[in-house]
Amino acid sequence: MRPRSLQQRIAIYLTFFSLLVAFPLILVGVFINERAEQEFWEQMLSAELADVDLSAPRGEVTRHGVLNSYVWRTDLANSPKVVPPEIAPLAAGLHDNIQYDGREWAVLVREQPGVRAAASIDITELESEEAELSTWAIVVTVLAIVLLLVALNWLARRAVDPVTALSAQLATRLPTTTTPVVTEFKEREITAVVDALNGFVSRIHEHVQREKLFVETMSHELRTPLAVILGAVEVLELPGASAARSHAALTRIRDTAKGLTELTQVLLFLSNRKPSAVNNAPVSLEEVLKRSLALFEQELASKGMRIELTVASPVVVNAEPSLCAIVVNNLIQNCCDHGVGSVDIRLSVEGLSFSNRIESAPGNEPPPSWRGNIGLGLDLIDRTCTQLGWQLLTLSEGDVFSAEVTFGLTRL
């Protein structure tokens, strides 16, 4: 079943409202017409009865064209014979649509002690004309309703033109299009929808960019241990490899594969594609920091960079060890990639901070942003910190860049 359009919904509501307003007006018009008709008959017949002689001994009948009047005494048995049998039993008052002699009459009956009088008027032609007029009125009403439906449908279509134009624009929009949606209509509801759509498109674009960056950096993180494994395999394949070298290669393969498994688990967790949380355990951040510095010792030395480490107090967190290592490793990696001189590292219960000077750019180029293109980078470090319940704060002052990770720690 084809769903009903917004245009049809608006047209139906407008039609219902129009009929709801018109129906009481029609009823009031019919009531006023009937009331005016009765008042007219009553005035005319009252004037006729005013000229009737109520002293006739046995009753009389007077005819004046379409008007007839009757007088009869109620104490004589044969007095009602002078009036039609359809009028004789009528109670006092006005009676409409009385049929006798093949005609239609309006009858007014008056009653006094011992005598009754009635006046009647032939309304056959008038009722016939009224019926014809009613038929034409119904025809005109039906035509008016049809025209009303056409007009309301046109108005409804004009009312939904902004929505129709917006849907047509969205239907032709390519998935790669990130420019804002624009509309020539300035109604509040339309602009609110357009603003919401643009906000949604912007958030989707940012999400796609973050996912793209995540995939790129994840591929780098995976390629590094795979290169170690492939290198160890090549050692094993060398002719005449000694048992010691083979054992060392196998050890590297085992350790790297274990680390790769943990890294894959963590990366899936960070990408929100892993339904269950990673396993948390008490982690000494001082130990993690020392292992990371040892890992980057040669790279830091090759760039002539010095490490100034300050550990205010031993600290421990309840977290996934691999996540902690990713945060620390990539903060140090950023220092290696973009920093020069000394790196000031401070660990305390309040947080872990890194500070160093950014390498000057050649010529008049602006200094590079300290975000890192190797490893997870600051964007995904921030995502890792969010998963751990930490917060990453960055600050640039001239060519000095600092990054601080704040967390809730428990003293050892």
Side-chain angles (χ1 to χ4, degrees):
M1 182 178 178
R2 186 179 180 182
R4 186 170 58 191
S5 67
L6 180 61
Q7 175 183 336
Q8 292 173 332
R9 179 185 290 271
I10 294 176
I12 290 172
Y13 286 167
L14 290 177
T15 303
F16 178 76
F17 174 76
S18 302
L19 295 178
L20 192 64
V21 173
F23 187 69
L25 295 178
I26 293 174
L27 291 181
V28 171
V30 172
F31 173 78
I32 292 175
N33 176 71
E34 290 295 325
R35 184 65 180 171
E37 188 179 77
Q38 290 181 1
E39 289 289 339
F40 177 76
W41 299 142
E42 188 167 359
Q43 292 294 329
M44 181 175 287
L45 295 175
S46 295
E48 177 68 15
L49 288 178
D51 298 332
V52 172
D53 182 12
L54 300 180
S55 63
R58 297 185 62 83
E60 63 178 14
V61 178
T62 303
R63 301 183 184 277
H64 299 119
V66 295
L67 285 170
N68 297 332
S69 60
Y70 308 91
V71 178
W72 70 97
R73 299 186 63 82
T74 58
D75 56 348
L76 298 177
N78 59 350
S79 289
K81 294 180 180 179
V82 299
V83 297
E86 292 84 2
I87 296 179
L90 296 177
L94 180 66
H95 303 273
D96 200 1
N97 299 326
I98 302 300
Q99 301 286 338
Y100 70 90
D101 290 340
R103 309 288 289 179
E104 189 172 350
W105 304 78
V107 181
L108 177 63
V109 179
R110 295 285 174 82
E111 189 173 11
Q112 295 183 8
V115 63
R116 302 185 74 194
S120 63
I121 182 171
D122 188 353
I123 59 174
T124 304
E125 283 76 13
L126 292 175
E127 289 295 323
S128 176
E129 291 180 4
E130 184 179 4
E132 184 177 354
L133 289 175
S134 299
T135 301
W136 278 108
I138 293 174
V139 173
V140 172
T141 301
V142 172
L143 290 176
I145 291 175
V146 172
L147 292 176
L148 178 65
L149 290 175
V150 174
L152 292 179
N153 189 65
W154 180 80
L155 290 174
R157 181 172 57 82
R158 293 299 302 273
V160 300
D161 275 348
V163 179
T164 304
L166 185 60
S167 63
Q169 181 181 357
L170 294 177
T172 58
R173 194 178 180 92
L174 296 176
T176 55
T177 304
T178 58
T179 56
V181 179
V182 295
T183 178
E184 60 181 319
F185 302 97
K186 303 304 179 183
E187 289 78 5
R188 287 196 303 268
E189 294 78 7
I190 299 301
T191 55
V193 171
V194 171
D195 291 342
L197 280 173
N198 287 332
F200 179 72
V201 169
S202 177
R203 292 192 299 273
I204 289 295
H205 178 66
E206 292 175 0
H207 175 75
V208 171
Q209 291 301 111
R210 287 195 301 268
E211 291 299 312
K212 181 180 178 181
L213 176 62
F214 182 85
V215 171
E216 291 175 353
T217 53
M218 182 176 66
S219 65
H220 172 80
E221 291 289 340
L222 294 177
R223 281 197 303 268
T224 301
L226 287 175
V228 174
I229 293 175
L230 291 175
V233 171
E234 290 177 358
V235 171
L236 291 176
E237 291 177 343
L238 290 175
S242 64
R245 295 183 63 182
S246 299
H247 177 73
L250 291 174
T251 301
R252 292 189 66 187
I253 291 175
R254 182 184 68 250
D255 294 342
T256 306
K258 180 180 178 182
L260 180 60
T261 302
E262 294 177 352
L263 178 62
T264 303
Q265 182 185 23
V266 170
L267 292 176
L268 289 175
F269 177 67
L270 290 178
S271 66
N272 297 319
R273 294 180 176 88
K274 187 176 178 61
S276 59
V278 294
N279 297 321
N280 291 334
V283 179
S284 172
L285 291 182
E286 183 178 0
E287 294 298 326
V288 173
L289 187 57
K290 289 179 179 180
R291 285 196 299 268
S292 297
L293 289 174
L295 180 66
F296 288 91
E297 183 178 3
Q298 293 183 356
E299 186 173 354
L300 291 169
S302 65
K303 296 193 64 174
M305 301 180 68
R306 303 181 309 278
I307 299 296
E308 297 180 3
L309 175 62
T310 302
V311 179
S313 60
V315 290
V316 68
V317 293
N318 187 40
E320 163 61 41
S322 299
L323 287 176
C324 298
I326 284 176
V327 172
V328 175
N329 288 347
N330 283 275
L331 286 173
I332 298 176
Q333 183 70 66
N334 273 284
C335 294
C336 293
D337 292 339
H338 304 293
V340 293
S342 64
V343 180
D344 184 14
I345 304 176
R346 179 178 176 81
L347 175 64
S348 67
V349 175
E350 288 75 20
L352 174 64
S353 63
F354 286 75
S355 177
N356 75 315
R357 188 166 57 87
I358 301 175
E359 188 174 8
S360 300
N364 295 324
E365 296 180 11
S369 61
W370 197 77
R371 55 180 288 115
N373 297 318
I374 299 178
L376 292 178
L378 285 184
D379 289 337
L380 294 183
I381 293 175
D382 185 61
R383 180 184 296 191
T384 308
C385 291
T386 300
Q387 296 288 357
L388 291 169
W390 300 351
Q391 185 178 9
L392 175 64
L393 303 174
T394 59
L395 179 64
S396 294
E397 294 183 357
D399 61 350
V400 176
F401 188 93
S402 60
E404 181 179 2
V405 177
T406 58
F407 35 71
L409 294 175
T410 302
R411 292 180 182 272
L412 285 175

